[in-house]
Amino acid sequence: MTSPSSGDREKVVSKLPGPLQQELKIRTAQRGIDIQHAVDEGISAWRGLGSNLAAIDTTGAKSFSTWLPPGQWDGFRSDCAARGVSLVQGLAQSVSLWLETHPAPGVQRPVVVKRMIVCNQKGGVGKTAVTAGAGQALAEDPDRLHAVGVSKHFAHARAGADETAAEESAHEQLPGLGLRVLLVDFDPQGHLTKQLGHELLPLDGDSLTKHMAGDSKGKLKDLVVSVDDERFGDRLHLLPSCTDAFLLDVKLSGVRAREAALERALMPLEENYDVILIDCPPSLGLSMDAAVYYGRRRDGEAPGNSGVLVVVQAEDSSADAYGLLTAQISDLRADMHLELDYLGIVVNHYDARRGFIATSSLESWMAIRDPRVVGLIGDLKEQKEAVRMKQPLLAYAPRCTQAVALRALAREIV
């Protein structure tokens, strides 16, 4: 049946098998086109065929509606009758034809591995949660749809609107990014390792610290573990921490070209990944120098492909810590002649109900244009619950407001 037109199209209502509807929804999202245009193209191609396609099982077909050019549905109905197939069968064949001729695009992989240094020497701002969440969002299944968006508060704040209360996220359904991601727990406290349900590496075994200090006992890749969940496939891995990292600055003091120690250690792993995220300790020592050096722009690398992601909170002490961090980065840039990019600022643990301090602080962060704020993550219970359960947040609560915002963040920095 048809309904009154909307613009230059008319609404049509029919039926289509549920799995076919879902595949159509995913594929059009992957290719960045509207469902109505895909169905339009499929029907046109089907009508141009010299013979019918193989019959499709339409048992249990569900209601399906879309918008088509005026007259196309009537012509399609006539063709179905002439070919001796039902309208539902003809539509199913048309959609299947479009899917076959428009395969899913491959994952867009970076030319140079993206190296993201997640840092702030102030503890408790949520660097680990942002590292883990962004990594999960980057690795999600590209053949499934996931809720993606930014909070209304973030959108209004970026536009300069005056908000007084946190709002729920507005989102859309988009395919996962499907990137191969390595999370590196560079903090001797090991929060990233523990939150994802793994054990710290034993003190008497091999570790990232030993590889950086030149005391390794084997290959670093043998220490890497998988973060298992069907939504990540085998794309999300973790290099666990070891408490020997508390001695890293001491060990690095005697290492040749110590600023390049982290790069030397991780270089053999890079060919296996699209993105490497470093969860840094709350420190401004030699280990931080090595992390920042690792995130520098390499020869031939595009600006913004790698760099520093600063996690802050909407309160005054974060602003003080941010000043110390950016001063250190400026010194490293000058002393070592580094091309080092900021990927942005993430305001974490935000809750407007905390009043003027939170809202005014957020406005101050938003006023910074270089680097700009690229994410606003709410302070909600799901993150704490996921940590308690030792599960990835995006697996534990994939549709929660924090998960939606972390997917938006991933798209901002990728």
Side-chain angles (χ1 to χ4, degrees):
M1 61 174 290
T2 62
S3 298
S5 64
S6 173
D8 60 346
R9 289 178 172 260
E10 59 185 9
K11 184 177 182 180
V12 301
V13 179
S14 183
K15 290 185 177 181
L16 195 63
L20 208 53
Q21 291 191 38
Q22 183 65 11
E23 189 175 359
L24 177 64
K25 185 177 181 181
I26 293 172
R27 188 68 52 78
T28 52
Q30 289 172 329
R31 298 185 70 92
I33 69 170
D34 293 331
I35 287 178
Q36 61 184 10
H37 293 118
V39 176
D40 178 357
E41 292 176 7
I43 288 176
S44 296
W46 184 86
R47 295 179 69 186
L49 294 176
S51 62
N52 289 339
L53 299 175
I56 294 173
D57 184 3
T58 59
T59 304
K62 300 179 180 179
S63 178
F64 174 78
S65 64
T66 189
W67 297 87
L68 297 176
Q72 186 186 53
W73 190 247
D74 290 336
F76 176 59
R77 187 195 305 272
S78 298
D79 286 351
C80 287
R83 294 187 184 188
V85 300
S86 68
L87 199 58
V88 173
Q89 179 64 217
L91 180 59
Q93 291 185 17
S94 299
V95 170
S96 295
L97 178 60
W98 185 87
L99 290 168
E100 290 173 6
T101 55
H102 295 78
V107 173
Q108 298 298 307
R109 303 197 183 281
V111 176
V112 179
V113 61
K114 292 178 176 290
R115 302 166 319 281
M116 301 181 179
I117 314 305
V118 186
C119 58
N120 190 333
Q121 93 283 1
K122 182 181 185 301
V125 296
K127 296 184 295 292
T128 297
V130 170
T131 302
Q136 293 163 39
L138 290 165
E140 278 189 308
D141 190 349
D143 294 321
R144 293 172 57 181
L145 297 180
H146 312 275
V148 181
V150 294
S151 73
K152 294 177 183 177
H153 198 122
F154 185 28
H156 280 277
R158 289 181 69 171
D162 179 22
E163 293 257 339
T164 58
E167 300 182 54
E168 293 185 356
S169 294
H171 64 266
E172 57 182 323
Q173 298 292 319
L174 295 175
L177 294 170
L179 297 174
R180 302 167 300 176
V181 178
L182 175 64
L183 304 174
V184 177
D185 194 345
F186 199 44
D187 188 341
Q189 299 173 93
H191 293 317
L192 179 61
T193 301
K194 297 171 187 174
Q195 287 183 17
L196 294 175
H198 289 276
E199 299 294 329
L200 298 183
L201 296 171
L203 268 172
D204 58 352
D206 209 358
S207 68
L208 176 59
T209 297
K210 291 184 175 66
H211 279 263
M212 292 177 65
D215 300 325
S216 60
K217 301 178 180 180
K219 294 183 177 180
L220 191 63
K221 69 177 184 180
D222 294 335
L223 304 180
V224 173
V225 296
S226 177
V227 179
D228 295 326
D229 189 89
E230 63 177 7
R231 70 180 50 245
F232 311 128
D234 189 32
R235 294 178 297 275
L236 183 60
H237 295 166
L238 167 72
L239 178 56
S241 179
C242 177
T243 52
D244 67 357
F246 280 114
L247 302 174
L248 180 57
D249 279 8
V250 174
K251 290 180 176 293
L252 285 179
S253 63
V255 172
R256 174 186 59 83
R258 60 188 180 228
E259 70 280 352
L262 180 60
E263 181 163 274
R264 288 196 297 268
L266 294 179
M267 188 73 77
L269 303 181
E270 290 185 358
E271 64 179 1
N272 299 318
Y273 298 99
D274 302 308
V275 183
I276 297 178
L277 291 103
I278 312 294
D279 182 26
C280 292
S283 166
L284 290 177
L286 297 179
S287 57
M288 187 62 205
D289 288 352
V292 170
Y293 183 85
Y294 184 59
R296 79 194 186 287
R297 193 191 311 165
R298 295 174 178 172
D299 291 342
E301 185 174 8
N305 185 71
S306 300
V308 172
L309 186 67
V310 185
V311 181
V312 301
Q313 289 182 319
E315 39 80 37
D316 294 339
S317 61
S318 271
D320 296 337
Y322 173 79
L324 292 172
L325 175 65
T326 53
Q328 181 186 13
I329 290 175
S330 294
D331 288 343
L332 284 170
R333 277 172 159 172
D335 295 344
M336 303 181 67
H337 307 289
L338 300 182
E339 292 285 350
L340 181 64
D341 299 319
Y342 282 99
L343 300 177
I345 297 170
V346 179
V347 182
N348 194 34
H349 295 163
Y350 182 72
D351 187 346
R353 294 173 299 180
R354 291 175 181 151
F356 175 74
I357 291 178
T359 56
S360 61
S361 180
L362 176 60
E363 290 174 0
S364 297
W365 290 120
M366 290 292 181
I368 299 175
R369 300 303 181 189
D370 184 20
R372 67 185 179 88
V373 173
V374 293
L376 178 66
I377 314 297
D379 187 12
L380 302 171
K381 63 183 179 65
E382 286 85 0
Q383 175 63 47
K384 299 179 180 65
E385 292 172 353
V387 170
R388 175 64 63 88
M389 299 300 293
K390 298 187 183 302
Q391 293 182 19
L393 173 65
L394 272 64
Y396 175 77
R399 296 188 61 82
C400 74
T401 302
Q402 289 165 316
V404 170
L406 284 163
R407 293 190 187 101
L409 169 63
R411 282 162 171 77
E412 286 281 344
I413 60 178
V414 77

